[in-house]
Amino acid sequence: MAKKKHSALTEIWDPSKDFLDRCEDVVRQIKEIDFSKRTDNQLRVFAQWIRNCIKEGDDPNAHLIPAFALAREAGKRAIGLTAYDCQLYAGIALYEGRLAEMYTGEGKTLAAVMPAVLHALAGHQVHILTFNDYLVERDCQDMGPIFELLGLSVGCVLSSTPREERRAIYERDVVYVTIKECGFDYLRDFLATSKDELVQSRFQYAIVDEADSML
């Protein structure tokens, strides 16, 4: 029998397929968790329990499935949107620090919420960096109720936000801000001569929206 010929393309490793195959069971388990019969307060208590477990030494990765399921349920209640499989896959990729490409209409704004929730529960300050003030304000207003339902603080920094107000906003669990404003605040802090002049605090985890436009 003649040996089957393989084209070069069939032998190229596809990291996207590898990732999807690895996460298929994770996505299934997220969707199987049913929080629908729990009260809003019970969701907040469970979120706080995850936060405490991680604070006491748990690996945040061990809480990815329940935390994503929790954020998914909060999305249903707070804004009436349910995260679909493509958004769950994208959320996992972002949580792992990967790039996620989504088509218009696939809901990347909601996809970013789930990794932001888990990182915030892990005690990390989360910056969601996007392209302009309109998107910053819109996304914060639209997605903010999800974070608040889970007991997380959220805010946004606009180009018009007074410098004296920025420090308090940057202290919140999740901050929506343009990459431009975040960058210039960093540069101004770098030139500060006293602690009182600083507005930014920790740099621990960032989600870059519209990455192709900004990077």
Side-chain angles (χ1 to χ4, degrees), residues 156-170 181 185 188 199:
C156 66
V157 173
L158 305 172
S159 57
S160 59
T161 303
R163 187 158 176 79
E164 58 271 17
E165 294 179 14
R166 296 187 179 213
R167 182 184 296 121
I169 297 173
Y170 276 119
E181 288 301 313
D185 280 336
R188 284 188 284 262
V199 298

Side-chain angles (χ1 to χ4, degrees), residues 22-59:
R22 174 169 62 83
C23 294
E24 184 177 2
D25 191 54
V26 175
V27 168
R28 179 185 58 77
Q29 291 181 65
I30 291 170
K31 291 165 63 179
E32 284 178 351
I33 297 178
D34 183 11
F35 284 114
S36 62
K37 295 179 182 177
R38 304 293 183 178
T39 65
D40 289 358
N41 187 58
Q42 286 175 322
L43 295 187
R44 279 188 289 274
V45 169
F46 189 67
Q48 186 59 49
W49 177 80
I50 293 176
R51 175 174 254 173
N52 291 339
C53 287
I54 296 173
K55 190 175 182 180
E56 291 172 7
D58 278 9
D59 183 351

Side-chain angles (χ1 to χ4, degrees), residues 105-139:
E106 283 191 317
K108 55 187 173 57
T109 307
L110 181 59
V113 169
M114 291 170 286
V117 164
L118 181 50
H119 271 285
L121 292 177
H124 302 150
Q125 192 170 54
V126 178
H127 291 159
I128 300 181
L129 306 171
T130 193
F131 190 63
N132 57 44
D133 275 357
Y134 167 75
L135 293 174
V136 165
E137 190 169 30
R138 184 202 69 181
D139 292 354

Side-chain angles (χ1 to χ4, degrees), residues 49-98:
W49 177 80
I50 293 176
R51 175 174 254 173
N52 291 339
C53 287
I54 296 173
K55 190 175 182 180
E56 291 172 7
D58 278 9
D59 183 351
N61 295 337
H63 295 279
L64 185 147
I65 291 171
F68 271 52
L70 196 63
R72 189 170 184 259
E73 177 63 29
K76 290 182 195 176
R77 297 187 189 190
I79 62 173
L81 294 178
T82 301
Y84 294 107
D85 287 10
C86 64
Q87 292 163 311
L88 294 172
Y89 280 111
I92 296 168
L94 293 174
Y95 173 75
E96 295 181 353
R98 299 171 181 270

